[in-house]
Amino acid sequence: MKKLFNAADRMADDMIDGFVAAYAPVVVRGAHPRVVRRRHPKPRDEKVALVIGNGSGHEPIAMGFVGEGLLDANVVGDVFAAPSADLILEGIREVTGEAGAVLLISRHEGDVINGQAAVMDALDEGLKVRPLLMYDDISSAPKGEEEERRGAAGTIFIYKILGAAAETGMALDDLVALGEDVRARTRTLGAAIAPGVSPLTGQPMFALPDDEIFIGMGVHGEPGVARRKIGPVGDLVGFMMDELLADRPIEAGTPTVALINGSGGTTRMELLTVYREVAAILDARGVPTTSPVIGSLSTTQETAGFSISLLTATPSMLALWEAPQASPDFPRIYGAGAGR
Amino acid sequence: MSLFDRLVTRFSGLESALNELDAATGDGDHGSTILKGLKAAADAETGRARFFRTVAGGASGSLFSRLIAALETVEADAMPLGAALGQAADQITQLGQAKVGDKTMLDALVPAAEAANTDPANAATAAAAAARKGADGTKALSARRGRARYVEGKGVGHLDAGAVSVAEMLDEYATWRTSA
């Protein structure tokens, strides 16, 4: 398969070069070349910094969400590889002041180990930093073992809501508590239609017959937990919504935000069709939907597939979700009051 | 010879065997990773654990650096062995979110810490024996953490390479302690 890059060991670096050049008014490369920071941060002694490290190859997450009202820094690892603890520590040091920092950790083994190791070192250095583990993928561990689950696209709710809350001056411990509350109210389930190609190997990341789909897809191309024959998307979404609502029932009348994430190789036409089905299913249950996001935000190269994330937001969470932000890649959100 | 020079010698001899153990359930580089880190730790004047982690890299680098820190502490007689190993085990538990029985390095480290605390007069040899027993026991375990978790059969029938490395490190420590 054809891929556009200069050299295998420069993929992440060349991408960052392009990103910081294109969006120089809002982002800047950190002291370390794998750290991307906000160009105009608020004083670090007054605002808690939000930092996340992740392997590259999943763009726009997370680098594209650095900016006012969202992330303060992203530490970029090699393709599909968690950044080292040293590198994450570097990112924490660059943005942490008296107000402290939250290190967001999407729950994947390497990210957790290296992230927690970086937090231990940062604490040893006297920095005020707290980790927040993010997990939402219901296919990765059964109900009752939520803490064993992996992070998927629903983690974007945490990024955005904590980003907006930190901007208002919320204190470190309150931010972590808010993040835990968002996490508790979020569930995600994904489906893979066709594999993407790993830039590391040039090979498809998994194999799937032409007429089958995987339910429950890992963000690194791990095969899913159940297979289905392809059919009308309404049937597929119906199945997935049953799973999501069995895992965490939503009472009629509870305002719910849906995030339909594309995995990189699924068109907007398809993603909007998925949203049509999600909204109809919730509507039929008397659940009002608001302020959705539909887009390919957390991707795995050109993997065809999508995930559905649902958040039952409190009014204050919803306000933070809808608050303005100025990162290069986060989509605009249209709440009930928009467009007037 | 310093403790860390001895560890380098020992793991030079173990490198390929540990790689082979790891290959059964992982990517087969465990022995090389640990040896790389130990060489960096041995070359460092202070802060051996940080050098170990940086050079070893990856998740193993972060996890084992906590044990390296413990060994550095007891090498300098700054803490009793049981306390140092116990602290390392707690930190590794937090990092890896694993516990005894998950088929990880903790299956060797946790009993080693307990043995050293129970028999402080013979802490080094007691810890080494307990670690070896724990590492041997990983053969029957199915993995709940680490690479073997994603392998068909979850690694049953294979020793955990990380647990074996812990046992080897503590055995070398006991030899160094009793010969010093």
Side-chain angles (χ1 to χ4, degrees):
Chain A
M1 174 105 185
K2 296 165 190 166
K3 290 259 176 187
L4 302 174
F5 60 89
N6 291 314
D9 62 353
R10 288 276 319 163
M11 282 189 280
D13 305 281
D14 288 359
M15 169 185 75
I16 298 170
D17 287 347
F19 184 77
V20 296
Y23 303 110
V26 286
V27 297
V28 64
R29 205 169 214 144
H32 190 287
R34 288 296 189 87
V35 176
V36 174
R37 289 195 274 122
R38 264 170 80 167
R39 179 173 288 278
H40 304 293
K42 282 197 169 168
R44 63 181 62 181
D45 291 345
E46 293 162 24
K47 179 194 168 297
V48 176
L50 287 191
V51 185
I52 186 163
N54 56 271
S56 53
H58 301 293
E59 293 68 31
I61 212 170
M63 184 175 71
F65 307 151
V66 174
E68 186 181 347
L70 252 162
L71 303 177
D72 291 273
N74 178 221
V75 179
V76 183
D78 290 337
V79 175
F80 298 165
S84 69
D86 290 321
L87 193 47
I88 299 169
L89 178 61
E90 189 64 36
I92 292 171
R93 280 187 193 134
E94 287 196 26
V95 295
T96 306
E98 286 296 317
V102 179
L103 179 69
L104 300 173
I105 303 174
S106 183
R107 204 175 164 288
H108 293 265
E109 206 154 51
D111 294 289
V112 174
I113 292 169
N114 291 346
Q116 295 280 25
V119 168
M120 281 182 189
D121 286 344
L123 292 171
D124 285 346
E125 291 180 8
L127 296 170
K128 217 167 104 184
V129 54
R130 289 191 60 185
L132 179 66
L133 292 175
M134 305 186 293
Y135 43 82
D136 56 321
D137 176 6
I138 66 167
S139 73
S140 53
K143 188 173 165 70
E145 294 178 28
E146 284 78 11
E147 291 173 9
E148 294 285 314
R149 288 177 171 172
R150 291 179 303 192
T155 59
I156 290 169
F157 289 130
I158 297 181
Y159 290 42
K160 176 64 182 71
I161 290 167
L162 290 200
E167 209 67 36
T168 68
M170 188 181 277
L172 179 58
D173 290 348
D174 296 335
L175 278 172
V176 172
L178 175 61
E180 288 168 348
D181 194 15
V182 174
R183 181 178 70 194
R185 294 163 170 272
T186 301
R187 295 293 184 278
T188 296
L189 183 60
I193 317 298
V197 171
S198 166
L200 302 172
T201 64
Q203 299 298 315
M205 284 178 273
F206 53 88
L208 194 55
D210 275 348
D211 63 342
E212 282 186 17
I213 48 178
F214 278 137
I215 312 277
M217 161 194 52
V219 297
H220 299 96
E222 301 94 331
V225 293
R227 287 177 180 224
R228 269 174 79 91
K229 291 286 180 194
I230 189 95
V233 67
D235 295 351
L236 172 61
V237 171
F239 173 81
M240 292 168 71
M241 289 294 286
D242 284 348
E243 296 283 316
L244 282 164
L245 295 171
D247 195 86
R248 184 163 186 274
I250 300 177
E251 267 181 51
T254 310
T256 298
V257 180
L259 187 161
I260 311 301
N261 181 64
S263 316
T266 291
T267 61
R268 182 150 180 89
M269 181 184 224
E270 293 167 289
L271 296 177
L272 287 167
T273 307
V274 169
Y275 181 71
R276 170 190 194 268
E277 305 301 331
V278 169
I281 288 166
L282 290 173
D283 187 54
R285 293 178 178 241
V287 174
T289 52
T290 182
S291 317
V293 162
I294 296 121
S296 296
L297 304 183
S298 174
T299 67
T300 308
Q301 300 294 297
E302 59 282 87
T303 300
F306 66 94
S307 61
I308 304 167
S309 301
L310 301 177
L311 165 69
T312 55
T314 64
S316 61
M317 278 177 197
L318 196 57
L320 294 165
W321 173 245
E322 293 173 352
Q325 52 79 32
S327 73
D329 291 328
F330 201 86
R332 192 164 163 200
I333 293 171
Y334 296 84
R340 289 212 186 117
Chain B
M1 226 192 330
S2 82
L3 171 62
F4 280 87
D5 287 333
R6 293 181 67 126
L7 285 167
V8 169
T9 306
R10 181 155 188 150
F11 277 77
S12 297
L14 288 167
E15 184 184 6
S16 56
L18 287 170
N19 283 347
E20 272 174 47
L21 269 186
D22 185 35
T25 56
D27 53 4
D29 63 357
H30 179 73
S32 305
T33 301
I34 297 294
L35 178 60
K36 227 169 25 175
L38 284 173
K39 282 180 177 166
D43 288 345
E45 299 281 313
T46 55
R48 295 191 197 275
R50 190 67 71 87
F51 282 96
F52 176 94
R53 186 180 82 193
T54 302
V55 173
S60 300
S62 292
L63 295 168
F64 269 88
S65 76
R66 297 292 148 179
L67 176 56
I68 300 303
L71 292 175
E72 192 175 10
T73 306
V74 293
E75 182 191 28
D77 288 319
M79 205 192 269
L81 181 65
L85 295 181
Q87 189 179 63
D90 288 346
Q91 291 168 333
I92 292 163
T93 300
Q94 192 192 331
L95 295 178
Q97 299 190 308
K99 58 185 189 320
V100 170
D102 288 352
K103 197 181 184 83
T104 72
M105 63 188 295
L106 289 172
D107 289 310
L109 186 55
V110 170
E114 284 165 3
N117 282 327
T118 310
D119 188 3
N122 305 296
T125 49
R132 178 68 65 192
K133 195 174 160 212
D136 288 345
T138 60
K139 195 163 186 170
L141 294 173
S142 77
R144 282 194 68 254
R145 289 278 179 255
R147 286 185 175 279
R149 179 183 175 193
Y150 301 107
V151 176
E152 211 172 334
K154 300 199 182 290
V156 172
H158 299 283
L159 291 169
D160 178 69
V164 173
S165 283
V166 171
E168 294 290 342
M169 283 181 192
L170 292 180
D171 193 63
E172 192 58 44
Y173 173 73
T175 314
W176 173 78
R177 184 54 78 185
T178 47
S179 70

